[in-house]
Amino acid sequence: MTPSIPTNLLQQIASTYGTPVYVYHAEKIKQQYETLINAFSVLDIRIFYASKALTNIHIVRYLNSLGCNIDCSSINEVKLALHAGVAPENVLYTSNGISFAEIEEAVEAGVHVNIDSLSNLEKFGKKYGHSYPVGVRLRPNIMAGGNIKISTGHNKSKFGIPVEQIGELEAIVKANNIFIRTLHIHTGSEIKDADVFVKGIEVLFDLIPHFPELEVIDLGGGFKVPYIPGEKTADVASIGQKLKQAFDAHPLANNRKLQVWFEPGKFLVSECGYLVAEVNVLKQNGDTIIAGVNTGLNHLIRPMMYDAYHHITNLSNLNGTEKKYMVTGYICETDTFASDRLLPEIKEGDLLCFHNAGAYGFEMSSNYNSRYRPAEVMVKNGEAILIRKRESFDDLLKNIPA
Ligand SMILES: *Cc1c(COP(=O)(O)O)cnc(C)c1O
């Protein structure tokens, strides 16, 4: 696995903007978007990019320019999408555990809303009645996803309205004459198995008759991408085919047709992103060598939080003799990016490139140890564009009275 951005361009970006630096490849995002559009061409679909994966407004704007809609997980993401110029009818707010005030704000902005609790649905009904079509997020009680931390649809999950409460849900809808346009489920992240989506939709098919005004089935996101070389990606074409078969097998009354929405985050932006860092120190440690880099869990927490594998390329020595390394961060906590990893020989000062850093990379970064968050650069048509400056010392002091 070599980066899809030429090595000399990554080196040039590192020297112009310093390290560590996040670099995103626009054409890779486009390729992923087109893969989804082709895979689902058999259905009437709309894709909403789950912008929490990477919220930089230049990325949001770029995806929107390709025709992609935007899914948000907070009112501030809604505001960022609108600020980026996305039309409200192309923005979706899938909330969980939020105050009703945020739902009111989203309605005022005119964006689509999915509600995930009976209490907020009731407040919504009392205030808006039938006037504002809305979605409900259901919990289908399905176990799916790469690991429990990113599995959201199982029978102990906090997300969504448990399907067994359908009776109460229906009572609230009837009592307040709520226009339920969308049924939503999102079962987790890193799903490669098409059957999970089919299982999800079968749960929904049982519920559809309860909602005569339904127009949309929203199946969330969670398509897996390869992290380890040779690893499987979600077979989105097969997911598309299987969903089409499932829909054909469940014809709705009066020839009603439902639109299908998806909310992929990782699938669209994971592989486009690279975190480029510099090696500060080498230490011999038995038969391995510790390579300490100038980044850590403050910038890319996935290896530590989810035990995620991130492929590493030594940009300064692509084809050298391989040795065994432990790659670690500079934070005062154990922040290991890789153990027992064979890499072309590393020297202090070399540039290491972490792959699959586009999704939940910069986005989950922090100022831990009073380090700055890195710069972000987008490469488009072979040209590097700075889309976020590295933080500076003033950023650490802003908001703090002298
Ligand atoms: C996180 C999330 C997504 C995106 O998940 P990915 O694994 O990045 O595709 C989509 N929808 C909802 C509601 C989410 O919370």
Side-chain angles (χ1 to χ4, degrees), residues 50 52-53 71 94 137 184 186 188-190 220-223 263-267 360:
K52 70 166 190 262
D71 176 50
T94 301
R137 178 172 187 173
H184 171 281
H186 169 71
S189 199
E190 303 205 351
F223 304 123
E263 303 162 352
K266 182 174 283 189
F267 191 85
Y360 311 106

Side-chain angles (χ1 to χ4, degrees), residues 47-68:
I47 305 278
F48 289 78
Y49 163 54
S51 63
K52 70 166 190 262
L54 177 56
T55 53
N56 190 300
I57 57 166
H58 293 271
I59 300 290
V60 168
R61 205 174 268 156
Y62 178 70
L63 270 154
N64 190 234
S65 77
L66 301 176
C68 192

